[in-house]
Amino acid sequence: MKLHLSRKLKTAFRRPIRAKLIFNPGSGQPGESPQQLMEILLEMQNRHILSEVYIVHPGSRLESVVRRAIRSGIKLIVVAGGDGTIDAVVGAMIGKDATLGIIPTGTRNNVAFNLGITGKIANSVALLRQGRRLKIDVGRVHSGHSRHWFLEVAALGLLTDLYPISDDIQHGKLTLMGELLSTFVSAAPSRLRVSLDGRKQPETSAHMMVITNMPYLGPHFRISPNVSFRDGHLDVFTFSEMTKLNMLSYAVFSRGGVVENAGINHYRANHVAIVSKPPMPVLADGILLGQGSLSVHVHRRAMAVMVGAKLTGRHASTAVHKSKRTPDES
């Protein structure tokens, strides 16, 4: 019986499948892009994945590219890039009969890290065939006239103030360190009115509020091991009773493991509404949306992805067994 199943699996992996490869030459180290693309295409060929390649450029409208690919019958959308490139295709894949595959070639690759995709190109391509296919939760944030899907985090306050500067620094602009410190020192808290699933919470003062869908944020910073992207809830963290120095210490020490802090309030909800006074800027997965208020809702298991064998946190226990079907056959 085992031999029969093994032969069936080998036959399935040899059967060609179609994929749309979205390759971003601007992710990570641009000088490595030509070699990366050749390696990806070679590995895909070896895995019998027939790829149609789209090269990302500054004017690309990736949601349109993905929608056209899905309408043409392609069920595997592969992003070779970083978190920003993945973010740009999410909206086109919500509720669709298609699966997202990731080959992490960006700077942070935090989404891939959360999904257990941490290997080199060959290993990431292998997961397109041999990984697990999961449906994961996706968040939707409204702020003013802006709407945005997100996989990782929506936030307002200090994190949102610091993100654009820290992102530039991580891309090599070290001269901005002074501006980063100045922004951190001058940041002031706001009064927050928060509603969780329609229930109003006591008004509080805080430097920032973070609404997460994944346990690791930004440069693989684990906000909590108890966050899951498959439980149908968002995790809400209010940093209401912490000084900026305590917040900085928390960020530094938590890189080495779980740090409990009485100044952080943790809630779970399907729908979150927040109003800040004075108005705080609002961010979702690195995109600045507006300021002052936001409304966030979770869409349960709204998108299919291929994931690695090792998942951390609460979502590891809720993962389905290894799929014996490729995305093109599911």
Side-chain angles (χ1 to χ4, degrees), residues 95-296:
K96 296 295 191 299
D97 183 22
T99 303
L100 175 67
I102 299 172
I103 302 172
T105 60
T107 304
R108 290 193 178 99
N109 301 314
N110 191 63
V111 172
F113 186 82
N114 275 289
L115 297 175
I117 307 170
T118 58
K120 296 181 179 179
I121 285 176
N123 295 331
S124 299
V125 174
L127 289 178
L128 301 177
R129 282 289 209 173
Q130 300 171 351
R132 291 177 292 173
R133 180 181 185 271
L134 297 182
K135 287 191 173 181
I136 66 172
D137 301 336
V138 183
R140 177 75 163 170
V141 58
H142 294 194
S143 181
H145 297 294
S146 300
R147 308 287 185 270
H148 196 78
W149 295 98
F150 68 92
L151 294 178
E152 297 178 77
V153 61
L156 76 166
L158 186 57
L159 177 64
T160 307
D161 287 326
L162 297 177
Y163 180 87
I165 308 172
S166 62
D167 189 56
D168 286 340
I169 290 173
Q170 191 162 0
H171 284 84
K173 298 181 181 180
L174 301 182
T175 56
L176 295 177
M177 282 297 297
E179 183 178 346
L180 180 74
L181 293 173
S182 176
T183 301
F184 180 78
V185 170
S186 62
S190 287
R191 299 298 298 177
L192 300 179
R193 297 202 307 270
V194 181
S195 174
L196 303 175
D197 292 333
R199 298 186 300 273
K200 292 183 179 180
Q201 306 299 307
E203 187 171 303
T204 186
S205 177
H207 281 93
M208 70 176 182
M209 195 161 185
V210 177
I211 304 163
T212 64
N213 185 48
M214 291 184 165
Y216 288 89
L217 311 178
H220 303 175
F221 167 79
R222 183 168 67 173
I223 191 165
S224 171
N226 297 317
V227 177
S228 170
F229 47 68
R230 282 177 55 79
D231 64 357
H233 295 93
L234 295 167
D235 288 76
V236 184
F237 297 88
T238 305
F239 295 75
S240 57
E241 299 177 18
M242 298 179 71
T243 66
K244 284 182 286 186
L245 181 60
N246 286 342
M247 290 171 62
L248 184 61
S249 299
Y250 171 81
V252 170
F253 287 112
S254 63
R255 292 297 296 271
V258 181
V259 176
E260 299 295 337
N261 194 298
I264 303 174
N265 296 317
H266 181 190
Y267 310 93
R268 288 197 178 93
N270 292 42
H271 183 81
V272 183
I274 307 170
V275 177
S276 63
K277 290 185 178 182
M280 285 180 164
V282 176
L283 172 144
D285 281 359
I287 305 297
L288 290 169
L289 301 178
Q291 63 177 2
S293 65
L294 77 161
S295 174
V296 187

